[in-house]
Amino acid sequence: MKKILLLCGLTLITSNSFANSNCNIYYKGNSQITTQIKKDGFNINQNNYNKLCNELKKNGAGLVLTGMTQISPYQSSASISISLYSLNSNQNAMTYQTSDWIGYEQERTTNAANKAIYDLTMSALDELATNNQLLNKLISNLKEITKN
């Protein structure tokens, strides 16, 4: 229930692609993540981008990127949770299955925290593109939710 309430606040929906790619990844997330992606794009391996984009497109899915950062006395920490939402459903369907990552930067500044969450998000997307088991799990969950 907490995830549902948290994600109700996500209002930014956009897409992005590599300059020479015919595929757009649709995503929504909190402003910290979407601002960085709009500024720096998807900084992942282009083959992984194309693979992920084509799988999402084939299954009518977009990414939900939920992240947070914290600056402690010791480091800047970041966490990212990735789930999928349906591009084709009349429902506001989103997977309850997520994939989660956590990372940090030793520098304790807002810029370091923003870098940590962006770098972590790109690493997570690279991994998601190459981890067929994980991606298929999320896609299966989305299909299950939207079949009615």
Side-chain angles (χ1 to χ4, degrees):
M1 184 67 174
K2 290 180 184 177
K3 286 184 181 181
I4 292 171
L5 293 175
L6 174 66
L7 294 172
C8 287
L10 299 174
T11 57
L12 299 172
I13 301 173
T14 189
S15 70
N16 205 334
S17 68
F18 275 101
N20 59 349
S21 177
N22 291 329
C23 193
N24 290 319
I25 291 180
Y26 291 90
Y27 63 94
K28 49 184 162 178
N30 58 4
S31 63
Q32 186 178 26
I33 296 170
T34 57
T35 299
Q36 283 297 126
I37 293 173
K38 286 179 187 175
K39 179 182 168 210
D40 298 326
F42 284 103
N43 188 17
I44 65 175
N45 175 288
Q46 187 165 1
N47 289 333
N48 290 348
Y49 175 92
N50 289 332
K51 180 180 178 198
L52 179 61
C53 189
N54 288 325
E55 280 299 311
L56 294 172
K57 183 178 178 180
K58 178 174 77 174
N59 290 285
L63 299 170
V64 179
L65 307 170
T66 307
M68 61 182 266
T69 59
Q70 176 186 9
I71 301 171
S72 76
Y74 308 102
Q75 65 193 24
S76 296
S77 302
S79 67
I80 183 76
S81 180
I82 299 177
S83 56
L84 302 181
Y85 73 98
S86 175
L87 297 173
N88 302 326
S89 174
N90 292 335
Q91 309 164 9
N92 194 7
M94 185 185 73
T95 60
Y96 55 87
Q97 300 275 346
T98 63
S99 189
D100 306 303
W101 289 266
I102 191 164
Y104 71 94
E105 293 284 333
Q106 287 189 329
E107 186 181 336
R108 297 176 297 124
T109 65
T110 301
N111 286 341
N114 288 340
K115 180 183 182 328
I117 198 157
Y118 176 75
D119 290 348
L120 185 62
T121 302
M122 295 304 111
S123 293
L125 293 175
D126 248 341
E127 184 179 331
L128 186 60
T130 58
N131 186 334
N132 290 332
Q133 183 179 359
L134 178 57
L135 185 56
N136 289 338
K137 179 179 164 183
L138 291 172
I139 290 169
S140 293
N141 184 224
L142 186 63
K143 286 180 179 180
E144 177 185 319
I145 292 169
T146 57
K147 69 180 173 186
N148 294 331

